[in-house]
Amino acid sequence: MAETRPPDASRRSERSRRAIYDAALDLVGEAGYTRTTIEGIAARAGVGKQTIYRWWPSKAAVLLDAFLDRAEQAARGEPDLPDTGDLEADLKLVLRATVDELNSPVYDAPARALAAESVSDPALAAQFVERLLEPSLQLYVRRLDAARAAGHVRAGIDPRIALELFVGPLAHRWLLRTLPLTHEYADKVVEYALHGLAPRE
C-alpha cells in the first residue's frame, strides 16, 4: 500500500501567493487600480479574502509585492549592467530596454498605480524605493564606478547623482506623458548626459 503523505502547506501557500500576484497585476491592468479590490483579487485567485488580509494590510501592499516579484523574475540571470568597455553603448542598451519596459502594458498600469499611491502613502513609497528602485539604481552606481576606474568618466563624479541624468528624464517623460518614450530619445539622453550641451571644439 502506497504511503499517504500529508499536503505540503508551504507548497500550497506558494501556489496561492503566486495566484494572488497574477490576479492583482491582471486586474489592475484590466480595470485600473481604483476599481481593483481585495475581494476581486481573491475571487480571481481562487482564495478567500481572509487569506489576502492575513498576508497583506492593503491592496497597495499586494500590488507592490506582485510588482516586485515580477521585477525579480525579469532580472534573474542579469545581476549587473553590461560592461563591454564602451560606457555609451552599454548605457544606450540598458536605457532602450528600460523604454521597452516602461512602454509595456504589463509594467505600465501597476507601476503608475504604485507611483500614484506612493504620493499619499509615505510608508508604501519608502518600501517601493528600498525594495525596487534603490537596488536597480545601485546597478548604475557599480557600472559608473567601473567606468571611473577605467578612466572613462571624470574621477570626481558622484555616481549616485550621475545616474539620475540617465534614469530621471525617462521617468519624467513616462510619468507625465509629455512626449513619446522611444529608443531614439533614450540614445539622446545618454549622449547629452555623457557629452554635455556645450559646443564641442
Side-chain angles (χ1 to χ4, degrees):
M1 182 175 179
E3 181 182 355
T4 302
R5 297 182 179 179
D8 187 333
S10 64
R11 185 174 297 175
R12 186 170 64 246
S13 292
E14 181 58 26
R15 281 199 303 269
S16 296
R17 192 178 299 272
R18 185 72 48 200
I20 290 166
Y21 287 164
D22 291 343
L25 292 169
D26 288 347
L27 284 172
V28 169
E30 294 167 12
Y33 180 73
T34 56
R35 293 183 180 178
T36 298
T37 63
I38 292 290
E39 290 77 9
I41 295 170
R44 175 72 66 94
V47 302
K49 66 179 181 180
Q50 289 308 317
T51 298
I52 296 179
Y53 282 121
R54 187 165 62 246
W55 290 338
W56 295 281
S58 66
K59 69 175 181 179
V62 177
L63 184 59
L64 176 61
D65 276 358
F67 191 75
L68 287 166
D69 179 73
R70 183 160 289 180
E72 287 167 3
Q73 290 185 57
R76 201 162 288 159
E78 298 180 15
D80 281 305
L81 300 191
D83 187 351
T84 64
D86 184 336
L87 179 62
E88 182 173 333
D90 292 343
L91 288 172
K92 284 181 177 180
L93 181 68
V94 171
L95 263 64
R96 281 179 171 229
T98 302
V99 164
D100 291 341
E101 183 178 56
L102 291 171
N103 285 329
S104 166
V106 172
Y107 178 97
D108 187 77
R112 288 186 184 279
L114 287 167
E117 196 69 12
S118 294
V119 172
S120 57
D121 187 340
L124 179 72
Q127 282 197 56
F128 191 67
V129 170
E130 178 185 350
R131 296 172 61 193
L132 179 69
L133 292 184
E134 195 57 36
S136 298
L137 296 178
Q138 286 303 315
L139 299 179
Y140 284 89
V141 169
R142 291 200 290 273
R143 180 64 185 88
L144 289 168
D145 278 339
R148 186 170 51 187
H152 297 155
V153 296
R154 290 201 316 272
I157 70 155
D158 180 334
R160 191 58 181 74
I161 295 174
L163 69 86
E164 294 179 357
L165 300 175
F166 306 109
V167 300
L170 267 64
H172 178 273
R173 185 171 282 203
W174 169 76
L175 187 61
L176 299 181
R177 294 188 171 105
T178 53
L179 288 168
L181 192 60
T182 64
H183 286 179
E184 292 74 19
Y185 174 68
D187 288 351
K188 288 299 181 186
V189 165
V190 172
E191 291 167 12
Y192 289 0
L194 286 180
H195 306 300
L197 302 179
R200 299 182 188 177
E201 297 181 2

